Every structure is written in structure tokens, then in C-alpha cells.
Amino acid sequence: MTDGGMGNDDDLVGGEADREPDPSDSLRTWGAVQQALREHAGYSRAEFADLVRFSKHTVESVELGRRMPDAAFVERADEVLGNTGALRKGSRYVTRGRGDVGLAAWFRRWARLEREAVSLCTYECRLVPGLLQAEEYVRAVFDNSIPLLSDEELEDQLAARLARQRLLVERPNVPFSFIVEEHVLRRRLGGADVMRGLYDHVLELTARRNVTLQIMPLDTEFHACLDGPVRLLETPKRQRLAYSEGQQNGRLISDPKEVSLLYQRYDTLRSQALNPKDSRGLLERLRGEL
């Protein structure tokens, strides 16, 4: 219901894979305190990095509030800097940047890559893609979460999803392509009023020149993406990446051969789906049926 796990992700985003997009005050404060304790102890960043067995880059990122310290970092830092327990206790109150609140842990890297991508493609067979969801549809999705979300969790996830959608408007030169199964749009999640609002919202978004929606009809005899949903993007450095998501997990894919295969499948699916004009026509008919 939320919109990846692999090694060497630092290469994909210029060494900023774990950077917080909008650091919280508590994250900055914890980093500043740790830096002050390090300097008081007389260690340079390089020396301290060797002692805690993390890279100098990681130490710098943590101290400047750009990266969330993990449990191992906190434990080793506290031991090296006097073993007072201050850093351990303080870490309990550190929160991530607002940019990550409401996003599943396995999706955060992909969400960061989305913000810089020069093109994005999405195929979905489960739900309307998050970037196209109307607010009440989002609420209906999260109302079906198991276990149930608290009111605070629901609002955080809602805010995160709506914030991601600003990409479609704020980046008008970036092409966004969506292919969605017809049955997804026929499922009356949340009821007729919610779906009516969803259709209006999708029709409004796909009227933009940079947003394309194609619907995969129910009566199709051919289908190139039977293995499930997939997302594709191209970075400013022209690197192509893919993302695949399942139950409680997601995978960022950078292997050129695998990514190339997924692009081939998506391109084939484009030729099998309804064209954008006919897709809008079908959406308008579905709205009229409510």
C-alpha cells in the first residue's frame, strides 16, 4: 500500500543514498552534540571514523544532520566519547527528516531518485499509482492497511504521498508515463464518491502535456508485464534504474541487463495498451457509469 534493498546504492545517487532530504531539528542537534564531544576529545573526523569503524564521509554526514545515525554508530560513538550514555539516550529522541516521514523504509531511496529523474514510467496492476491518487482515494487505501494505522500514521503517510505528487506539477519538462490495468480503475475502492473524485483527479492530471496515462484493457490477448508492477526512471546522468515492490519490501534494480529487460517489457506494454486518447475516453465512461 505504500509506494529497495541492494548493495552499492551510494553509486546511484552520488554518495547521498542515506541523506535526509529535509533534516529534523533533533537530527541536527544530535549531530552537533556528537561533533562537540568529538572535538572536545581531540579527535579529527578521520581519526574518529577509524575508531567507530565508519567512513569519514558518514561521520561528516551525521554531524551535519544529513544522515540518520544507525544503532551501531550511536553505540560506538558513545563508547569512544566517554561512555557516558548521553549519546545513547539522546538518540531515542532523534527523528528523521520530514521528507522521509510517511514513506516505507524500502521506498525512501526510490522516492529520492524520483525528485531528480529526467523521466519516469510506472506500470501498476494493484492500485492506481501513488502519483495519480486523489486524496480521498489515498485515505481509502490507508484505511485498508493491516494492521490498522493510527490517526497520526495515516496523516503522515497521506502528507508524504500528496507531497510526492507535486512532482507532476513542479517538473513540467519531465515526462511521466503511466500504464494501469483496467480492473484497477473499475474497483470501487472507498465507494462511488471516492472513485468519482479519483476519475476527475486523474483526468485533470493527465490533461497536462508531461503526464501520459494508458489503460491496459480487460479484453487484451497479449500482455508483456505479467510478472507484476514495475517503475522505471532515468537519472540526470542518463543512468536507467528500476524498482519492484511486493508485500512489505521493495527492490532497487541497477543491473544494466535487468533494467534493459524491464524497459523492453514496458515499451512492449505501451503498444498493447490503449492509446492516451482512448484511455481518457474509457476513464470518462467509467465515471459516467457511477
Side-chain angles (χ1 to χ4, degrees), residues 156-213:
D156 282 342
Q157 294 196 28
L158 174 66
R161 185 153 301 181
L162 296 180
R164 282 181 58 230
Q165 293 181 359
R166 292 201 294 267
L167 289 172
L168 302 179
V169 177
E170 294 175 352
R171 308 196 66 203
N173 296 323
V174 175
F176 294 84
S177 169
F178 299 93
I179 302 177
V180 182
E181 293 288 341
E182 181 180 343
H183 72 260
V184 168
L185 294 161
R186 287 187 175 275
R187 181 182 297 125
R188 297 193 178 184
L189 191 67
D193 288 342
V194 169
M195 292 305 297
R196 189 177 295 110
L198 172 73
Y199 295 149
D200 289 341
H201 184 70
V202 173
L203 285 168
E204 180 181 354
L205 287 176
T206 55
R208 304 182 64 84
R209 289 188 300 164
N210 65 320
V211 183
T212 301
L213 170 68

Side-chain angles (χ1 to χ4, degrees), residues 91-112:
S91 68
R92 300 172 189 170
Y93 305 99
V94 176
T95 58
R96 288 187 175 274
R98 287 298 307 172
D100 268 352
V101 173
L103 294 177
W106 58 84
F107 186 72
R108 289 172 184 153
R109 284 178 178 150
W110 184 258
R112 295 170 197 173

Side-chain angles (χ1 to χ4, degrees), residues 143-270:
D143 279 342
N144 280 276
S145 294
I146 298 176
L148 294 174
L149 301 176
S150 68
D151 290 344
E152 182 179 0
E153 289 171 332
L154 191 151
E155 292 303 321
D156 282 342
Q157 294 196 28
L158 174 66
R161 185 153 301 181
L162 296 180
R164 282 181 58 230
Q165 293 181 359
R166 292 201 294 267
L167 289 172
L168 302 179
V169 177
E170 294 175 352
R171 308 196 66 203
N173 296 323
V174 175
F176 294 84
S177 169
F178 299 93
I179 302 177
V180 182
E181 293 288 341
E182 181 180 343
H183 72 260
V184 168
L185 294 161
R186 287 187 175 275
R187 181 182 297 125
R188 297 193 178 184
L189 191 67
D193 288 342
V194 169
M195 292 305 297
R196 189 177 295 110
L198 172 73
Y199 295 149
D200 289 341
H201 184 70
V202 173
L203 285 168
E204 180 181 354
L205 287 176
T206 55
R208 304 182 64 84
R209 289 188 300 164
N210 65 320
V211 183
T212 301
L213 170 68
Q214 293 182 253
I215 297 176
M216 196 66 181
L218 287 171
D219 60 1
T220 184
E221 296 182 10
F222 303 98
H223 200 300
C225 280
L226 292 176
D227 285 349
V230 67
R231 303 168 199 232
L232 307 164
L233 64 73
E234 188 173 2
T235 72
K237 295 182 178 180
R238 303 302 172 184
Q239 182 181 14
R240 287 181 163 189
L241 302 171
Y243 175 79
S244 176
E245 188 173 75
Q247 295 275 350
Q248 297 298 302
N249 67 81
R251 185 167 72 99
L252 182 61
I253 304 167
S254 62
D255 178 73
K257 289 185 179 179
E258 190 171 356
V259 173
S260 177
L261 172 62
L262 293 174
Y263 265 92
Q264 289 177 39
R265 290 178 178 175
Y266 192 87
D267 288 341
T268 303
L269 195 67
R270 270 179 166 160

